[in-house]
Amino acid sequence: MHPDIGLELGARVARAVQEALEVRISPAEALVRPSARADYQCNAAMGLGKRLGRPPREIAELIVAHLDAADMVEPPEVAGPGFVNFTLRAEWLSARAADLLTDPRCGVRPADQPRRYVVDYGGPNVAKEMHVGHLRSSVIGDAIARMLDFAGHEVIRRNHLGDWGTPFGMLIEHLASLDAGAELSIGDLNGFYQEARKKFDADPEFASRARTRVVALQSGDPATLALWRGLVEESERHFAKVYEQLGVLLSADDSYGESFYNPMLADTVAELEAKGLTEVSDGAVCVFPPGFTNRDGERLPLIVRKSDGGYMYASTDLAAVRYWTQERGATDLVYVVGTPQSQHFQMVFRTASAMGWLDASHRAVHVNFGSVLGEDGKMLRTRAGGSIKLADLLTEAVERADGVRAVGIGAVKYADLSSDRQKDYVFAWDKMLAKEGNTSVYLQYAVARVSAVMAQAKVSTVDGSVLVTHKAERALLVKLLQLPAALAAALEDFAPHRLCSYLYETAVAFSSFYENCPILKAEPDLRESRLALAQLTSRVLTKGLDLLGIEAPVRL
Ligand code: ARG
């Protein structure tokens, strides 16, 4: 029995098709999906009709005649041009509900073939405060890591900190010029950066010292490294605070900043050269991956070493692909980074494939995302036009939720996760904190309502059997059995919004159940049954929110 009902029915349809038509299709190709017309609907007859040159309705009838699923569904109906509608049997649903009641994994089975995923997310830059631009990568990446982990895969969280490169010359030089004992504090990171920048632009003597510092840093000068480490540590303390505020599971142990790959850059470039992938262009060592050109049709370079010997963002990303696939046995590299870097990643992946670092069993995917917009439709900024500090945004969220952290932070995260990541979305407090609609607050209320009902009933857990006596009960139970399918769909495209939609539909089904089916006043068997359904709802919603990194308090 497959945990995904659609695939289980699909497997049976596939067998019927094989028997009746001698055609092989997979359970997924049987296209059995949840439907508004019935519990599930099969659309395979249309495609098969075309393929075999026969009327789809006739094929649908044949599928029904050969189907072996009487344990699971009522006699199926053929509708319209050739749909097959399935209604799950009440007894079957009750038996599945009983399984679900004793299953801490809410029906989700761990992957048969676990993979080793490396999820690159977060990626803030040292000596700069995190701003709203870091929200999406942190929130989406964390949800993806949590979902993969729960699905039974090995997950390595990887925070690609911007902690290396030329700006560190001026930052370290500025730090060195401050009074000894002057503490660099988290709140001052931005001011510190700006002061360094100002000096660099205004004072040629400072600028030249800053350049010397870069060389000192790269050659491992101990005093310079110590100053650099101070900057990194102070920044990490700031990042840790924001991650904690946000409920994102990144810690300093997950930091694999650009500096981490520094010792591997020379070898990486040497391998690219040995493979004949490089060309020298204007003194710089470049790779020109095929298929990337600018508007004038000129080939686009991936610069891997500048003429002065310095390395680039792309050099580090190539070294990282090589490291994670060749030395750490990663099977999947997932990059949760904004859409503007799409071309960069496509070029890196293409080059890594040419090197053999990526292949059929070492995959890489850019999980891109759009921007966060203000209500004016432009990039979200402060009134004064500056970038919004993430810490300030999160503090405001909790304030707006009357101090309830789970609600405020949950609302910000859910608003981000519930929209299709590829699109931009508008950051609107009122909408994300609304009690109705596809919001975390609505889901959290459903969970809190179940706790209230359980408290009134004076029970903490229920293990009675679930009866299906009302269509609202049936609709809710069918939804509760679909978490495995929803999780699989969300992971297929790294699309957390699919899980959100599922949770929202489940909460809507619960509301309808709650309005239509009295719980505490029902006669004893039904009362037990409805309490069990309510409890299952709470478990599924709580688990789903947890996979998104959102808490569901028992009381609101
Ligand atoms: N620090 C980078 C930025 O701010 C993001 C890093 C993304 N990850 C990567 N492997 N390039 O744009």
Side-chain angles (χ1 to χ4, degrees):
M1 181 62 65
H2 197 284
D4 180 331
I5 302 171
L7 286 180
E8 173 62 28
L9 278 170
R12 302 203 193 195
V13 168
R15 254 174 272 149
V17 167
Q18 167 80 24
E19 240 183 71
L21 302 161
E22 293 185 1
V23 172
R24 272 189 110 77
I25 58 170
S26 73
E29 285 164 333
L31 300 172
V32 181
R33 303 205 176 110
S35 152
R37 295 295 160 94
D39 292 335
Y40 280 81
Q41 186 174 71
C42 164
N43 295 351
M46 266 58 73
L48 285 168
K50 207 174 258 170
R51 194 161 134 191
L52 305 174
R54 290 171 68 170
R57 249 197 106 89
E58 194 181 300
I59 293 189
E61 304 283 3
L62 278 170
I63 291 175
V64 171
H66 285 83
L67 190 75
D68 175 13
D71 56 322
M72 214 177 152
V73 291
E74 303 292 346
E77 277 169 25
V78 175
F83 304 119
V84 183
N85 287 337
F86 297 108
T87 300
L88 295 160
R89 291 185 55 209
E91 297 80 357
W92 187 86
L93 282 169
S94 295
R96 292 298 291 263
D99 294 342
L100 203 54
L101 271 167
T102 57
D103 181 2
R105 294 185 51 88
C106 296
V108 175
R109 267 197 233 146
D112 297 330
Q113 284 159 324
R115 302 181 63 86
R116 181 173 292 174
Y117 280 90
V118 177
V119 186
D120 179 327
Y121 71 105
N125 298 315
V126 161
K128 284 193 196 160
E129 268 185 76
M130 288 176 76
H131 55 82
V132 69
H134 297 109
L135 179 69
R136 300 210 74 184
S137 176
S138 309
V139 168
I140 298 170
D142 206 50
I144 288 173
R146 287 169 188 254
M147 291 192 292
L148 286 169
D149 179 55
F150 186 61
H153 297 288
E154 189 185 339
V155 175
I156 299 175
R157 292 177 163 78
R158 159 184 170 197
N159 197 350
H160 195 90
L161 301 178
D163 65 353
W164 201 249
T166 40
F168 284 88
M170 72 178 193
L171 292 168
I172 293 169
E173 199 49 39
H174 179 46
L175 184 63
S177 73
L178 296 180
D179 294 343
E183 284 273 311
L184 175 62
S185 88
I186 285 168
D188 285 345
L189 280 178
N190 284 354
F192 177 84
Y193 190 94
Q194 280 152 16
E195 279 165 32
R197 179 93 247 168
K198 221 188 273 164
K199 277 207 220 162
F200 186 84
D201 292 338
D203 178 353
E205 201 256 327
F206 177 84
S208 116
R209 274 189 285 134
R211 276 185 213 106
T212 312
R213 273 294 179 187
V214 179
V215 179
L217 180 66
Q218 266 154 3
S219 61
D221 168 56
T224 301
L225 274 179
L227 288 164
W228 170 78
R229 221 168 272 127
L231 273 176
V232 173
E233 280 167 12
E234 184 58 20
S235 305
E236 292 242 43
R237 273 192 286 277
H238 162 71
F239 302 149
K241 263 196 172 170
V242 177
Y243 293 144
E244 159 134 35
Q245 211 179 354
L246 198 51
V248 157
L249 300 174
L250 282 171
S251 77
D253 291 345
D254 306 315
S255 289
Y256 294 89
E258 294 180 24
S259 62
F260 177 79
Y261 305 100
N262 189 48
M264 310 169 200
L265 297 177
D267 285 354
T268 303
V269 173
E271 278 186 36
L272 292 166
E273 286 173 325
K275 190 95 177 183
L277 290 185
T278 55
E279 285 173 40
V280 177
S281 170
D282 288 335
V285 180
C286 302
V287 178
F288 291 92
F292 295 89
T293 49
N294 66 12
R295 275 196 225 124
D296 301 328
E298 291 159 350
R299 299 176 309 154
L300 287 174
L302 205 52
I303 304 174
V304 292
R305 193 170 59 221
K306 288 185 291 181
S307 52
D308 66 4
Y311 295 100
M312 306 283 286
Y313 189 56
S315 330
T316 304
D317 266 325
L318 284 167
V321 174
R322 175 175 170 269
Y323 170 75
W324 287 103
T325 56
Q326 308 305 295
E327 289 186 38
R328 296 290 297 270
T331 58
D332 295 80
L333 305 179
V334 179
Y335 293 84
V336 187
V337 184
T339 301
Q341 295 193 35
S342 280
Q343 183 168 281
H344 163 76
F345 283 112
Q346 295 324 315
M347 291 172 81
V348 166
F349 297 166
R350 178 63 75 85
T351 304
S353 300
M355 288 303 296
W357 300 331
L358 294 176
D359 55 27
S361 46
H362 302 85
R363 309 181 295 208
V365 48
H366 178 208
V367 174
N368 64 318
F369 53 80
S371 310
V372 184
L373 305 179
E375 297 193 53
D376 58 0
K378 302 198 186 114
M379 294 292 269
L380 184 64
R381 294 196 171 282
T382 60
R383 261 165 225 258
S387 66
I388 298 180
K389 292 181 181 177
L390 194 47
D392 293 348
L393 186 90
L394 299 177
T395 305
E396 180 169 356
V398 177
E399 274 165 22
R400 283 184 182 260
D402 300 321
V404 186
R405 191 184 160 274
V407 172
I409 301 295
V412 169
K413 294 174 91 170
Y414 193 86
D416 197 304
L417 293 166
S418 58
S419 55
D420 182 339
R421 66 173 160 80
Q422 314 239 22
K423 299 190 180 140
D424 298 344
Y425 76 94
V426 174
F427 191 95
W429 288 114
D430 292 345
K431 199 175 152 217
M432 68 177 72
L433 284 160
K435 293 193 178 80
E436 292 291 330
N438 188 11
T439 65
S440 50
V441 192
Y442 181 65
L443 304 182
Q444 288 167 329
Y445 263 109
V447 172
R449 175 156 298 160
V450 172
S451 304
V453 172
M454 301 284 281
Q456 263 180 292
K458 299 198 170 54
V459 289
S460 55
T461 53
V462 193
D463 39 25
S465 50
V466 174
L467 311 168
V468 180
T469 67
H470 189 285
K471 70 180 198 311
E473 289 171 326
R474 155 182 289 276
L476 175 58
L477 181 50
V478 170
K479 274 282 160 217
L480 294 172
L481 293 170
Q482 288 168 349
L483 180 66
L487 180 61
L491 282 177
E492 190 173 305
D493 293 331
F494 302 102
H497 77 280
R498 297 205 182 160
L499 180 58
C500 296
S501 302
Y502 163 75
L503 295 175
Y504 175 58
E505 287 159 17
T506 302
V508 168
F510 174 73
S511 298
S512 158
F513 158 79
Y514 189 77
E515 276 160 32
N516 291 293
C517 305
I519 301 178
L520 298 174
K521 291 197 182 110
E523 48 87 15
D525 279 358
L526 204 50
R527 182 173 183 273
E528 276 287 291
S529 160
R530 289 179 175 169
L531 280 170
L533 263 181
Q535 192 184 39
L536 283 176
T537 305
S538 165
R539 284 196 203 149
V540 166
L541 292 180
T542 302
K543 174 48 84 187
L545 284 168
D546 177 55
L547 293 177
L548 299 170
I550 297 174
E551 286 166 41
V554 288
R555 207 169 302 128
L556 281 187

